Amino acid sequence: MKNIKLLAAVIGAVLASVSLGIEAASAHGSGSPSVPPHSHPPFSGSANNPLDSASVFYGEPLPLGNGTFRSFVTFDDHGEPTNIGLTFSQETLSSLPNPANGNPSTFPYPTHFYNPLLPSQASATPFGDLELLYFNDGHTPGGSGYGEEHIDFSFYLSTFAERRSTICPNTNQFFECFGEELEKAVQAPNPEAVPTGFIQVPPGSQFYAISGAGTAFFNPLEPNPRASLFFGFSEGKMTFIDVLIATDFLNDLATSQPSGGSFTEAIPQPAGYQYAKGGYYPTTYTVTYDEVNKYTVSLGGLTFRSANSTSVPEYSSPLTLLGIGVFGTVARLTINRKKDRQKLV
């Protein structure tokens, strides 16, 4: 009877630890976002600026409008990467160039394309290239956010040269994949490599199959498409993480929080924790505006993941594993005691 009570207590402890682990994982951005749809604007009054980190390294500043923008990567006191992103001034945002004669961007071209250089220290992350794509009238899939004026901040898992030479290097005049290269680009990834709820954009959409990028996946139920995510895949492996931010969203942040504010959202992880390669992957993305009139858009909470690892997801906390170990030990002790009693009989 004592053994039965002990086992029951252990089972309860294990279940409790699992529950705690899941809650902790949700707080750190693993799995699909559990945050309900936001009332607008969903901004924090205190800026959670990644540039306040222990060590910050910048890429070369490049001109944009009447200002500049540049990439950065941050590290903690232990030398581990924590954030990667871009920073630019409000002056830059307010002077984004217009297309010639006021014509809108045309498929699949953005109004303007920029390729900021990463600092050499970014090699500590799995990201090898950044792109800024400015769409003055949005792009597909349509609807609020995607169809508005916005900037796509695309973080690629390979360098510009690598992805341009391996992902549909032979394209038509619109940089779209075709033939056998199209089949490779849109190859369905393992569901365990795709965040839950994300689906491939339909054929005919922008980013369905583009040279150097592959095919895009998005969340059709995204509660805040004006600040949202796309994931890119080619030959079944992830190629990029794209943060789409509407320019009105950035303006609202500066207007509602003139002394500094931020917006942070969880990044859903692959459903089965399968990653294209080992490295420090983000668990959040953040948009900030600070008192010196500068914006940052960054991927944060960088956490090391093994390539194609499905062993222990983030919610399997040490407490959970300890509970399972204790359960196994008690079970073995119980079996051994029964055997000893049988011998005595």
Side-chain angles (χ1 to χ4, degrees), residues 240-278:
F240 67 78
I241 298 175
D242 178 87
V243 182
L244 181 155
I245 307 292
T247 54
D248 280 349
F249 186 89
L250 294 168
N251 288 325
D252 288 347
L253 175 55
T255 302
S256 62
Q257 306 291 338
S259 62
S262 65
F263 167 83
T264 297
E265 186 65 280
I267 293 180
Q269 303 299 295
Y273 289 82
Q274 283 195 2
Y275 298 85
K277 61 180 180 179

Side-chain angles (χ1 to χ4, degrees), residues 6 16 59 67 77 93 96 126 153 197 202 226 257 265-266 274-275 321:
L6 180 59
D77 292 330
L93 184 68
L96 288 172
F153 300 84
R226 302 175 73 229
Q257 306 291 338
E265 186 65 280
Q274 283 195 2
Y275 298 85
L321 299 178

Side-chain angles (χ1 to χ4, degrees), residues 30 145 179 193 220 222 281 290 294 296 325:
S30 63
E222 169 61 53
Y281 286 84
D290 64 23
K294 288 187 177 180
T296 65

Side-chain angles (χ1 to χ4, degrees), residues 308-323:
N308 298 321
S309 174
T310 60
S311 54
V312 182
E314 188 172 336
Y315 58 76
S316 292
S317 65
L319 181 60
T320 301
L321 299 178
L322 177 62

Side-chain angles (χ1 to χ4, degrees), residues 66-156:
N66 295 328
T68 60
F69 67 95
R70 58 180 177 172
S71 63
F72 67 85
V73 61
T74 67
F75 293 80
D76 61 19
D77 292 330
H78 303 289
E80 295 184 341
T82 55
N83 294 271
I84 184 171
L86 297 108
T87 182
F88 52 97
S89 66
Q90 187 181 36
E91 188 178 31
T92 298
L93 184 68
S94 62
S95 58
L96 288 172
N98 292 318
N101 301 320
N103 293 325
S105 51
T106 57
F107 177 81
Y109 299 111
T111 311
H112 287 278
F113 163 85
Y114 304 92
N115 191 222
L117 301 177
L118 284 169
S120 59
Q121 292 81 2
S123 60
T125 75
F127 302 102
D129 191 33
L130 293 183
E131 279 186 358
L132 267 69
L133 303 175
Y134 168 53
F135 290 87
N136 73 312
D137 65 336
H139 59 64
T140 55
S144 176
Y146 309 135
E148 297 180 20
E149 177 187 17
H150 70 261
I151 303 174
D152 282 286
F153 300 84
S154 301
F155 299 76
Y156 283 89

Side-chain angles (χ1 to χ4, degrees), residues 28 81-82 126 269 275 279-283 300-306 314:
H28 288 82
T82 55
Q269 303 299 295
Y275 298 85
Y280 287 85
Y281 286 84
T283 56
L302 298 183
T303 302
F304 186 81
R305 310 290 194 187
S306 298
E314 188 172 336

